[in-house]
Amino acid sequence: MLMDRSRKTPGDVARYWNSEGSRTPQGGAWTIQSVKRVYRSERTGGIVTYKGQDIGDSIYGAPLTRAEWENVQFLLDGRATPAVQGSGKRKHLYSGFLRCGNCGSALRVQWATVQGRTFRRTYCHSGQRGKKGSLGCGKVSRQYTWIEERLDEVVEAALEARTPRLEEAPAEDLMSEINQLESRIGALRSRWKDGRIGDEDYCDSLAHLREELRTLHTRKAVTFARRSCTEANALAAWKDTAAENLERRRAIVATVIDHVDVFSVGRGRRRPPEITSIEIAPAGAPDERASDC
């Protein structure tokens, strides 16, 4: 049932499994997300993992071979619904810079409403894997605004202390190439969905296009960083808090801050947190956690 090739989408599989009377391990009906979890699991491909790392093939039987499982990952990646333009961009200035001071996992930032009060918080998610493959501890949850204000002060002070540099030649604009690649991926997905291209060719082409897209995004990020480093008036760019300037401001942050470890301050605190509840690693500083690995 798992290998029925006539059913190409997770929705098709969920409907079929439910019609056959199959139920999830929890006894519920299959949904698109629960089907995806089955196919995303390394165990389905007979792959043994330890702390998130692939350590070899299982000695026991599995529904899919490793090669089949890897092809399924390409198919699932390709079927992901394209996000509304702009929805996948960072919405908070320091998201991606904040780490859990307890376990080192990246902290998430989101809006939260508690007892009718809406605020931004940053927290360690116990279901998210860190760089070393271990799950987050879930022990850190802080109000984001206080942290943002402290880091703003640090970045602004660093920019004011810098000697302005001459403007370099205008950086290359990669957005047209990125948009073209995204269009090609969309067209490829449509051809596969309509049955005009086989699964194997689709996987190969998709992997190639996605690698090109990742390269372009990397080049774009480097361009942002170089522009912010050499800009004659980076402080003025920093003070432009318009939403469309967020990525430019994040690139400026990256020239000042490598990462920030955030520690728990306990529940029910009414006085402001101590400044020692965050530790700021400047850009270019060695990562002590990495050296301990």
Side-chain angles (χ1 to χ4, degrees):
M1 183 161 63
L2 189 67
M3 287 291 293
D4 190 341
R5 299 180 184 275
S6 65
R7 296 172 176 83
K8 286 192 171 183
T9 71
D12 292 338
V13 175
R15 285 187 289 272
Y16 177 63
W17 286 358
N18 287 328
S19 69
E20 292 294 307
S22 175
R23 289 294 179 265
T24 67
Q26 292 74 34
W30 289 100
T31 64
I32 291 176
Q33 293 304 318
S34 58
V35 168
K36 284 184 177 180
R37 281 195 291 271
V38 171
Y39 281 103
R40 287 292 194 188
S41 171
E42 289 88 348
R43 293 177 61 184
T44 302
I47 301 170
V48 180
T49 61
Y50 178 72
K51 292 185 177 181
Q53 301 297 316
D54 182 350
I55 61 173
D57 296 327
S58 173
I59 61 174
Y60 303 103
L64 302 179
T65 65
R66 176 186 286 267
E68 290 170 337
W69 182 85
E70 290 173 348
N71 284 338
V72 167
Q73 306 317 300
F74 279 119
L75 295 177
L76 290 177
D77 290 342
R79 292 204 60 81
T81 302
V84 176
Q85 185 174 5
S87 64
K89 297 179 180 179
R90 301 276 190 182
K91 298 178 178 63
H92 308 280
L93 181 58
Y94 296 103
S95 59
F97 290 95
L98 307 181
R99 304 192 318 189
C100 175
N102 187 61
C103 69
S105 296
L107 297 183
R108 295 187 182 184
V109 181
Q110 68 170 193
W111 286 95
T113 301
V114 177
Q115 297 179 346
R117 185 170 58 93
T118 300
F119 59 95
R120 287 181 296 170
R121 68 164 182 153
T122 181
Y123 65 101
C124 180
H125 193 285
S126 58
Q128 176 173 298
R129 294 192 180 277
K131 290 183 178 180
K132 294 187 290 184
S134 58
L135 292 174
C137 65
K139 295 181 179 179
V140 172
S141 180
R142 297 277 301 275
Q143 288 199 30
Y144 174 78
T145 301
W146 181 88
I147 297 173
E148 182 180 57
E149 290 172 351
R150 302 291 79 74
L151 297 183
D152 283 352
E153 294 169 358
V154 170
V155 173
E156 188 160 331
L159 294 177
E160 288 176 342
R162 286 181 180 174
T163 302
R165 303 178 184 178
L166 296 177
E167 182 76 28
E168 285 188 343
E172 57 181 335
D173 182 8
L174 301 173
M175 282 310 301
S176 59
E177 294 183 59
I178 291 174
N179 291 335
Q180 288 178 4
L181 270 179
E182 290 176 343
S183 297
R184 290 174 62 188
I185 289 174
L188 179 67
R189 184 182 298 117
S190 296
R191 291 176 58 198
W192 174 76
K193 188 174 181 180
D194 295 340
R196 289 179 288 159
I197 184 173
D199 290 351
E200 186 174 348
D201 290 337
Y202 172 71
C203 290
D204 291 342
S205 300
L206 181 65
H208 176 69
L209 292 176
R210 285 190 178 279
E211 183 60 33
E212 287 189 25
L213 191 60
R214 279 192 292 269
T215 300
L216 286 177
H217 277 297
T218 300
R219 287 170 57 191
K220 181 184 174 185
V222 171
T223 298
F224 270 124
R226 285 177 177 171
R227 182 180 181 185
S228 63
C229 284
T230 59
E231 194 165 26
N233 196 355
L235 185 59
W238 166 255
K239 290 183 176 181
D240 180 2
T241 59
E244 58 270 19
N245 196 44
L246 180 63
E247 286 302 317
R248 193 174 179 185
R249 298 185 77 218
R250 284 177 54 80
I252 294 174
V253 171
T255 69
V256 178
I257 295 173
D258 182 81
H259 64 270
V260 181
D261 288 323
V262 180
F263 301 90
S264 175
V265 294
R267 295 180 179 272
R269 287 178 61 96
R270 295 189 178 275
R271 65 180 184 274
E274 302 291 340
I275 190 62
T276 53
S277 66
I278 60 174
E279 290 184 0
I280 303 171
D287 190 341
E288 295 182 0
R289 287 180 183 269
S291 63
D292 292 339
C293 296

